[in-house]
Amino acid sequence: MGAAVLITIGILFLLENYHLVYFHRSWPALLIVIGIFSFFCRTAPMEGHVQPFGLGSGALPPSQPTPSDPEVKS
């Protein structure tokens, strides 16, 4: 979402520099972009997504036993 907000701000300032649309009249477009991205982030399906490291439950997945472990039986 951060990238979309920065791009929107850049486009709004570019339009202001060309005197096409002034920022004090176009800032609601920024709120619309934030709202659209928030909506899509909350309604997107989560299946197939992998949680980035450090985010999530905080618990590490259980480690796989190695052949040198005494608990592993052949």
Side-chain angles (χ1 to χ4, degrees):
M1 180 169 80
V5 171
L6 288 176
I7 291 170
T8 304
I9 290 173
I11 290 172
L12 292 177
F13 281 129
L14 179 69
L15 292 174
E16 183 172 359
N17 282 339
Y18 284 121
H19 303 289
L20 297 174
V21 178
Y22 295 104
F23 188 76
H24 70 276
R25 291 184 174 236
S26 63
W27 65 267
L30 184 62
L31 297 178
I32 292 170
V33 169
I34 291 172
I36 289 171
F37 271 89
S38 295
F39 174 75
F40 283 125
C41 285
R42 292 173 197 249
T43 60
M46 290 302 294
E47 64 183 49
H49 288 233
V50 177
Q51 195 68 267
F53 182 74
L55 298 176
S57 65
L60 296 175
S63 62
Q64 299 293 328
T66 59
S68 63
D69 287 341
E71 298 174 4
V72 177
K73 297 181 182 177
S74 304

